[in-house]
């Protein structure tokens, strides 16, 4: 029972950390979209050179691609952790059921011996 609680708490902490990181990553992806739009507008208006635009847009696109890959990985890890929790609960339920059967069988045997 104590081990089950510890495992569940660790899993919940892990999921919360991943969800928090996922929120930050998704927020940064949106920020990069806005930054790219402003950069494009600056390029169109002649505020920055074509070379500068190309360099900065490549930097933004690279960061965004990396963040999207990280977001996908985080989503998969969160889903996997959720499945692990379901599997753990199922396992613990089976262990309890088996333990109950063993304890019941033991008490039946003890009662039977007392009757003899």
């Amino acid at each position: 029972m104590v081990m089950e609680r510890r495992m569940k708490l660790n899993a919940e902490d892990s999921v919360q950390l991943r969800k928090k990181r996922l929120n930050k990553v998704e927020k940064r992806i949106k920020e990069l979209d806005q930054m790219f739009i402003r950069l494009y507008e600056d390029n169109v208006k002649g505020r920055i050179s074509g070379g500068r635009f190309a360099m900065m847009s490549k930097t933004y696109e690279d960061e965004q691609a990396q963040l999207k890959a990280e977001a996908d990985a985080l989503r998969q890890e969160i889903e996997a952790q959720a499945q692990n929790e379901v599997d753990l609960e199922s396992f613990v339920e089976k262990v309890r059921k088996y333990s109950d059967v063993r304890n019941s069988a033991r008490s039946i045997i003890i009662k039977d011996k007392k009757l003899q």
Side-chain angles (χ1 to χ4, degrees):
M1 191 89 150
V2 173
M3 188 169 129
E4 175 189 356
R5 284 186 190 153
R6 283 185 189 160
M7 290 176 74
K8 203 168 192 174
L9 287 175
N10 286 339
E12 288 171 1
D13 288 346
S14 178
V15 168
Q16 289 304 317
L17 288 173
R18 285 183 173 96
K19 284 182 178 180
K20 189 175 181 178
R21 176 64 185 155
L22 180 59
N23 286 335
K24 285 182 181 182
V25 166
E26 288 174 339
K27 183 179 177 183
R28 180 63 180 161
I29 290 170
K30 289 177 184 176
E31 288 173 359
L32 287 167
D33 282 336
Q34 292 301 313
M35 292 168 66
F36 188 79
I37 290 168
R38 280 183 253 136
L39 179 65
Y40 178 77
E41 290 170 353
D42 287 345
N43 184 45
V44 169
K45 292 178 182 177
R47 293 182 188 155
I48 62 170
S49 68
R52 175 69 70 185
F53 172 78
M55 187 267 308
M56 292 176 74
S57 64
K58 171 112 174 73
T59 302
Y60 292 160
E61 288 171 352
D62 290 348
E63 182 181 356
Q64 196 169 49
Q66 177 188 3
L67 291 171
K68 285 181 179 181
E70 183 180 354
D72 289 342
L74 287 166
R75 283 187 201 97
Q76 289 176 357
E77 290 171 8
I78 290 167
E79 287 178 26
Q81 189 64 44
Q83 185 60 47
N84 287 344
E85 287 180 38
V86 169
D87 293 346
L88 175 63
E89 288 174 12
S90 175
F91 174 74
V92 168
E93 184 178 315
K94 288 176 183 175
V95 168
R96 283 188 184 134
K97 187 175 182 179
Y98 178 72
S99 295
D100 289 343
V101 169
R102 285 186 66 192
N103 290 336
S104 297
R106 187 177 297 137
S107 51
I108 290 171
I109 292 169
I110 291 171
K111 286 178 185 176
D112 188 45
K113 285 183 179 181
K114 287 181 182 178
L115 293 175
Q116 291 178 1

